[in-house]
Amino acid sequence: MITVFKSEERGIRQLDFPALEPGCWINVIAPKGDEVAALSSLLNIPADFITTALDPEETSHIESDDGILLIVINVGKSATEYEFDTVPLGIIITAHHIVTVSLEANDILPQGVVTMGGFSTFKRTRFLLQILYKTATAFLRYLNQINRRSNQIENNLRHAMKNEELYQLFDLEKSLTYFSAALRSNRVVIDRIMRLLQNPQMREIIKMREDDEDLLEDVQIEYNQAYEMVQMYSNVLSGMMDAFASIISNNLNIVMKFLASVTIIISVPTAVASFWGMNVGVPWSDMPYGFLFVLLLALATSALSTFWLWRKRML
């Protein structure tokens, strides 16, 4: 699917593909083969620039070819309640257009960036930095969700004896691993962009203004914060999994100890009843209150067993 947007005085106008104008933003999501060929022909973009971002295993990097710049970053996404993943997002900057390519829709584009202040499809460099900034804030939002869900799991694990909560923690830890790899490679892309800005040839493609420099600094701060948070949460979750695995085992041992104590208490009156049930002479067999005496004896021995187990802290 290909959608085309252009900034105007009255707001954002959507154009019909393939009718393109200078200063347009072309948003491409899971394009078909003919759409890739048409877009490559219209904008003189190498076809592999478009298809690169469609590989779900693609890592963040920067390429340039004949005045066309390709920037691939990884964007976070929520797969399930306890699973998070990343998906590549390609940003292609030409002399007159900016193209974003993704394998699936995400919450970064288009609404996420369009609603940011100072958005304009003509300002390609600022648009790029806004995408990077929005991506960093999305990672921070997902990290906060992971933190809240890990706290919920922690409360449940204090009394748990099943492995379901551990599986949920494992999913969260795996998600943090994906986030860590994505943020690490995205930070490398940010550093590469800063080096490209010092290249006079690249300044023709990436034109920086004063407010763009401030936004680039904000992008760096957000990515550094997100990377530090993901490292911290990963260490915390790793320790939690080891600790709570022991807690679950300990909770199970406590239950087994309690059941063993109950079995001992119940077995005492059973033994007394077994002795008096023998087909031999037993005390009080001829007394009218013999059954009551036996019952009281069984209860007394059970009480003594319970008291002894309680004193030994086995009950």
Side-chain angles (χ1 to χ4, degrees), residues 36-297:
V36 172
L39 190 62
S40 175
S41 176
L42 283 172
L43 300 180
N44 294 323
I45 299 175
D48 59 336
F49 273 27
I50 302 174
T51 57
T52 295
L54 302 180
D55 182 3
E57 304 298 328
E58 190 68 31
T59 58
S60 304
H61 65 277
I62 294 180
E63 295 182 35
S64 61
D65 183 13
D66 195 21
I68 299 175
L69 185 65
L70 167 65
I71 301 171
V72 179
I73 59 174
N74 280 277
V75 179
K77 70 171 185 176
S78 177
T80 63
E81 185 179 2
Y82 295 99
E83 291 186 65
F84 298 83
D85 204 348
T86 59
V87 59
L89 172 64
I91 307 165
I92 304 172
I93 301 178
T94 68
H96 303 288
H97 303 89
I98 184 167
V99 183
T100 54
V101 184
S102 180
L103 187 61
E104 58 187 73
N106 54 70
D107 56 358
I108 304 299
L109 301 172
Q111 292 84 1
V113 177
V114 171
T115 55
M116 292 185 67
F119 170 78
S120 174
T121 57
F122 291 95
K123 300 177 181 179
R124 298 183 300 281
T125 302
R126 185 171 183 83
F127 188 13
L128 167 64
L129 296 178
Q130 286 174 329
I131 294 175
L132 295 175
Y133 183 85
K134 189 67 179 178
T135 302
T137 56
F139 274 115
L140 290 172
R141 185 175 67 253
Y142 288 133
L143 288 173
N144 288 330
Q145 293 179 13
I146 290 175
N147 185 43
R148 287 196 300 270
R149 288 167 188 173
S150 65
N151 290 335
Q152 295 173 358
I153 297 172
E154 180 181 354
N155 294 330
N156 296 333
L157 271 172
R158 295 183 184 275
H159 307 286
M161 287 176 290
K162 297 182 180 179
N163 293 328
E164 182 180 356
E165 286 80 5
L166 285 180
Y167 291 144
Q168 293 172 352
L169 280 179
F170 176 75
D171 290 336
L172 292 180
E173 187 176 23
K174 184 171 64 174
S175 302
L176 288 175
T177 302
Y178 294 150
F179 279 11
S180 178
L183 287 169
R184 188 185 304 112
S185 57
N186 285 358
R187 291 173 70 195
V188 172
V189 168
I190 301 298
D191 295 338
R192 180 78 186 280
I193 291 175
M194 295 191 67
R195 290 196 297 270
L196 287 177
L197 292 175
Q198 300 175 359
N199 187 343
Q201 296 179 350
M202 284 298 171
R203 284 187 176 273
E204 296 298 325
I205 304 176
I206 307 178
K207 299 179 180 180
M208 292 287 291
R209 302 176 177 84
E210 273 188 43
D211 50 355
D212 294 339
E213 294 178 0
D214 295 335
L215 182 56
L216 179 58
E217 184 177 349
D218 293 339
V219 169
Q220 281 186 301
I221 293 173
E222 292 294 318
Y223 269 108
N224 290 335
Q225 181 181 355
Y227 186 73
E228 291 174 1
M229 286 181 64
V230 77
Q231 294 299 314
M232 179 182 66
Y233 288 161
S234 182
N235 293 334
V236 170
L237 277 182
S238 179
M240 282 177 59
M241 288 191 65
D242 295 337
F244 282 117
S246 300
I247 289 176
I248 289 177
S249 178
N250 187 56
N251 290 342
L252 184 60
N253 290 336
I254 292 173
V255 172
M256 295 303 295
K257 183 178 70 172
F258 175 78
L259 293 176
S261 300
V262 171
T263 302
I264 293 173
I265 295 171
I266 294 176
S267 65
V268 172
T270 303
V272 173
S274 299
F275 290 143
W276 259 264
M278 293 288 185
N279 191 20
V280 295
V282 292
W284 311 325
S285 59
D286 298 329
M287 297 178 61
Y289 297 104
F291 175 75
L292 180 60
F293 292 154
V294 174
L295 181 61
L296 291 176
L297 178 62

